[in-house]
Amino acid sequence: MPVVVGTVLVLAFGRRDTLVGKLLSVRPLVAIGLISYSLYLWHQPVFAFARLRAIDEIPPAGYVVLIVLCIALATLSWRFVEQPFRQRAKVGRGAVFGATLAAGAVALVVGFGFDGTDGFASRNRELARMIEPSVGISKECDAVVNLKCATGSSPEIAVWGDSYARHLVDGIIASKPDVKLVQLTKNNCGPFFDLAPVVPRLGQQWPLACAKHNAEVKRFLLANKSIRYVVLSSQLSQYLIEDKVLVGGIREMPSELKTLTDNFRATLAWLEANGFETVFVAAPPRNGRDTGLCVARVRLLGDPIERCELPLRDVMTNDKDMLSVLADIADEYPVVSFRGYLCDEDSCKSRTRGSPCSKTMVTSRRRVRGRSAARSISTEPLSVRLRVMCFRSEGHRPWLLPSPTLQRLEWRLLAFFDRIERFAATAELTNENAPDQTMPERFILLDFACR
C-alpha cells in the first residue's frame, strides 16, 4: 500500500516545475530509472545467494557491497540486453516473441522439475536426509492421541510434548525397532496439563486446542495400563517469550517463570503419583540461530563445520530462562541435558562424531532402590563412558561424593524396552570443565563418548 500511494503522488506532482520533478531530474536518479527494471531482476538472486553463502545475518556493509554489485550487473544487462532488443532494425518482433516463448517454456520445464524432485534432492542424498523433517511415527501423528500413533497395541513408553519430543521418537525406534512406544506430540504444545502458550500467529483457538490435547493425553495415560514410562520434552521458550499463557484452559495470565515452573512440577508430580516413571529431555543448546539450517548449508557449500559452532556465552544468554526452570525441576525429577556433552568452556558443537546433534544418544537416569540406573535410547552402538557431575546450589560449588564408592559401578540398563541388560561403565566425579556451577544438587549431567 505505501508503494502504491508513493507512485500516485509521484505521478500527480512529478511535473518539471515542482520540487519533486526537479529532484527526479537529477542525473543519478535518471540513471537509476533507466536501469530500474534490470536492477529489479538482479537484486533477488544476488541477495538470495549472498544470504545462503553468509549463513549468518549479512552486516550493513555487506548490503552496501551487494547493492553496488546489483547496480553494476543491471547496467551491463541494460546496455547489452535491453538496448539491443529495443532496436527493431536489429531484432524483429518475431525474434523477440520466439525467444520469449522458448525461454518461458524452458523455465516452466525446469521449475516443474525442481518442484517435483524437491530441488533434485537425489544429487546429494545425505544432505536431503539431513534436512528432511522429522515426523516421528507418521506425519499424521501431530495432535493425535490414540494407538494409531503407536508401534503396538500395548505401548510401554509414552513420548509427550512438542516437536522436540517428536524428534526423540526417531532415535528411540532406530535404537530398538521393536520398541513398544506411543507418540503423543503436538507442535508448539509442551507437556503440561494446565498450561498452554498463547501464540498469536497460530490463531485465537490454538491455546484451547493445546489444552484439550493435553487433557486427552491425561485420559489416555490413565486408560492404558501398559504404559510405564513417560518421556517428556519441549523447548519451553514458547511459554516465556509470548506475552500470555492459558492456565487451566480458562484464563489468560502473563507469562512468568514461576507459572511455568509450578505447572511443570504439578504435571510431573501427577505422573509419578499415578505410577509413571518420568524423564524430561532438555532441548539441545541454542543461541537463537537455526543450527540445523546452518549445518545443511555448510555441507552444501563445503565449508568447515566449525562455522556452525555456538559460542557458549550466546547459549547461556539465549537459554537462561530454560536453564533456570530445569534447575528448579531437577531438584526432584530426572532431567537430561546435552550441554555437558556438546559444550566446552568456549562453545557448543553443532555435530558430534560426524552426526547431527539432533541424532546423538540420549541417556537418562532414575532412582531404583536407592541407586541411579541408566537407561539408553540410542541411535548408535552402545559403548559409553559416563561422567556424572552433581552440583549444589549453595555457594555454587561442586559436590563430590567419596570417590571409592564410584570408582567401579555396574549400571543396570532398565529398558524402556522391557528387558534388563548389564554392562560395565566407569563413573567419574570431577569438577573440571564444569559446564554450569549454578545447578542444584540433584541436577545430573551425563557426559559420554560413543565409540
Side-chain angles (χ1 to χ4, degrees):
M1 189 62 178
V3 175
V4 175
V5 173
T7 303
V8 171
L9 292 175
V10 169
L11 293 175
F13 301 100
R15 300 185 303 273
R16 290 182 179 273
D17 59 340
T18 64
L19 178 62
V20 173
K22 293 177 181 179
L23 181 63
L24 293 177
S25 299
V26 176
R27 290 181 65 87
L29 293 183
V30 171
I32 291 176
L34 288 174
I35 66 171
S36 59
Y37 185 66
S38 290
L39 188 62
Y40 164 75
L41 294 178
W42 275 112
H43 91 279
Q44 175 61 26
V46 169
F47 278 54
F49 282 106
R51 292 189 189 100
L52 175 67
R53 190 73 193 184
I55 296 179
D56 290 319
E57 288 292 327
I58 299 175
Y63 277 111
V64 172
V65 173
L66 293 177
I67 292 171
V68 173
L69 176 61
C70 289
I71 292 174
L73 292 172
T75 302
L76 291 174
S77 61
W78 173 79
R79 173 66 180 82
F80 296 104
V81 179
E82 283 190 57
Q83 289 296 89
F85 270 87
R86 287 173 176 168
Q87 299 177 16
R88 294 184 180 180
K90 293 183 178 181
V91 182
R93 288 186 177 181
V96 172
F97 179 78
T100 303
L101 186 63
V106 171
L108 284 173
V109 171
V110 173
F112 281 118
F114 274 106
D115 183 66
T117 60
D118 196 19
F120 293 111
S122 59
R123 76 190 189 280
N124 192 329
R125 295 188 181 279
E126 183 180 0
L127 181 62
R129 178 183 58 81
M130 288 175 58
I131 63 177
E132 183 179 354
S134 170
V135 298
I137 291 177
S138 167
K139 64 181 180 180
E140 308 297 332
C141 285
D142 183 59
V144 173
V145 184
N146 56 49
L147 293 177
K148 292 180 180 179
C149 293
T151 59
S153 58
S154 300
E156 296 182 354
I157 308 168
V159 181
W160 177 30
D162 54 25
S163 59
Y164 281 75
R166 187 183 67 225
H167 296 164
L168 298 177
V169 173
D170 293 326
I172 298 174
I173 294 177
S175 175
K176 189 73 173 178
D178 60 346
V179 64
K180 300 175 181 179
L181 174 148
V182 61
Q183 178 180 333
L184 307 172
T185 59
K186 178 177 174 62
N187 285 347
N188 295 296
C189 186
F192 310 114
F193 288 131
D194 296 312
L195 198 66
V198 178
V199 186
R201 62 182 173 83
L202 298 178
Q204 293 183 345
Q205 298 302 313
W206 188 88
L208 292 173
C210 176
K212 179 181 177 181
H213 169 78
N214 287 334
E216 291 176 355
V217 169
K218 180 186 252 187
R219 290 191 291 268
F220 181 86
L221 292 174
L222 290 175
N224 289 267
K225 303 301 182 182
S226 61
I227 298 175
R228 300 168 57 192
Y229 310 106
V230 180
V231 181
L232 308 92
S233 188
S234 171
Q235 62 175 332
L236 300 181
S237 59
Q238 68 269 40
Y239 292 87
L240 300 170
I241 62 175
E242 303 296 342
D243 294 333
K244 296 180 180 180
V245 291
L246 183 68
V247 179
I250 301 174
R251 66 187 187 281
E252 292 186 358
M253 295 180 60
S255 299
E256 294 180 353
L257 277 174
K258 186 178 185 305
T259 303
L260 175 58
T261 303
D262 290 347
N263 199 275
F264 199 167
R265 280 183 175 276
T267 298
L268 293 172
W270 184 92
L271 289 170
E272 294 209 347
N274 283 274
F276 299 103
E277 296 286 349
T278 65
V279 59
F280 184 85
V281 181
R286 298 162 296 172
N287 67 345
R289 180 174 66 178
D290 189 335
T291 306
L293 180 60
C294 180
V295 172
R297 282 181 174 177
V298 299
R299 291 299 298 270
L300 175 66
L301 301 171
D303 289 347
I305 193 63
E306 286 73 22
R307 290 189 67 182
C308 294
E309 287 190 350
L310 289 65
L312 184 60
R313 179 179 299 178
D314 294 347
V315 171
M316 296 301 294
T317 300
N318 185 82
D319 290 348
K320 179 181 177 181
D321 290 339
M322 182 192 74
L323 293 173
S324 176
V325 173
L326 295 183
D328 188 280
I329 294 301
D331 277 335
E332 298 181 34
Y333 303 99
V335 172
V336 176
S337 170
F338 293 101
R339 254 184 338 116
Y341 175 52
L342 296 175
C343 305
D344 55 28
E345 58 186 9
D346 297 317
S347 63
C348 299
K349 295 178 288 186
S350 58
R351 287 174 67 89
T352 174
R353 296 187 175 269
S355 298
C357 289
S358 59
K359 296 194 176 183
T360 54
M361 181 186 321
V362 180
T363 305
S364 63
R365 54 99 181 160
R366 72 183 181 96
R367 292 286 171 186
V368 181
R369 296 178 184 176
R371 293 170 43 182
S372 290
R375 299 179 305 216
S376 87
I377 42 179
S378 169
T379 59
E380 301 181 24
L382 186 62
S383 179
V384 181
R385 177 178 61 84
L386 293 173
R387 183 171 63 196
V388 183
M389 287 179 263
C390 306
F391 296 93
R392 288 184 191 238
S393 56
E394 301 92 350
H396 311 306
R397 300 177 120 180
W399 171 57
L400 301 182
L401 289 174
S403 57
T405 64
L406 292 173
Q407 286 181 352
R408 195 80 182 164
L409 288 179
E410 198 169 72
W411 295 80
R412 193 179 297 266
L413 290 180
L414 293 181
F416 280 147
F417 321 126
D418 196 30
R419 70 178 185 180
I420 297 178
E421 297 177 343
R422 291 177 178 269
F423 77 106
T426 301
E428 306 169 14
L429 282 173
T430 177
N431 63 351
E432 297 178 359
N433 298 323
D436 191 348
Q437 296 285 326
T438 63
M439 294 299 175
E441 176 178 319
R442 293 184 60 194
F443 191 97
I444 295 187
L445 301 178
L446 299 181
D447 190 7
F448 38 77
C450 301
R451 300 172 183 173

